[in-house]
Amino acid sequence: MVLRDDPMNHSPYLLFHQSPEQLRRIRARGGKAQARNRREGWRSQPLRPPQLAVPLPPPQQTTAQAIAALDAQFPWLRGGERRVTDRAVRQ
């Protein structure tokens, strides 16, 4: 004897010999159960006040200032942020 409620015995063939009306009812029960579970999940969560957007602090250093500081600290890497093109390599 195969029990339909047992998840271990789930088989797609159990629903094969059903009328379209029976299949519609089975799907409707599943949708109602899913909606009920979702509502229950929403109710179980505590209500939180909305998060207020915290303004970002102004940047301490611009990109150009950071590049200038790195160029001063490491002169052999000067110009490393620029892309090298084929024309620049040939010259």
Side-chain angles (χ1 to χ4, degrees):
M1 181 171 130
V2 176
L3 298 176
R4 290 186 182 198
D5 293 335
D6 187 8
M8 296 303 292
N9 291 330
H10 176 70
S11 173
Y13 300 108
L14 293 175
L15 300 176
F16 188 70
H17 297 292
Q18 303 278 339
S19 70
E21 180 62 25
Q22 289 172 323
L23 291 173
R24 188 195 64 76
R25 287 182 184 160
I26 291 169
R27 287 191 300 266
R29 269 186 256 138
K32 289 176 185 175
Q34 182 181 18
R36 184 177 55 245
N37 291 338
R38 284 188 178 184
R39 283 192 303 269
E40 185 178 312
W42 280 107
R43 287 185 194 132
S44 67
Q45 293 179 356
L47 294 178
R48 291 186 223 134
Q51 297 274 339
L52 298 177
V54 179
L56 295 174
Q60 301 296 321
Q61 187 179 39
T62 65
T63 306
Q65 291 170 340
I67 290 173
L70 288 173
D71 286 345
Q73 190 175 0
F74 306 105
W76 61 92
L77 296 176
R78 184 167 289 137
E81 73 278 0
R82 294 190 194 103
R83 288 189 176 179
V84 178
T85 61
D86 290 336
R87 186 181 300 165
V89 173
R90 287 185 209 145
Q91 291 177 355

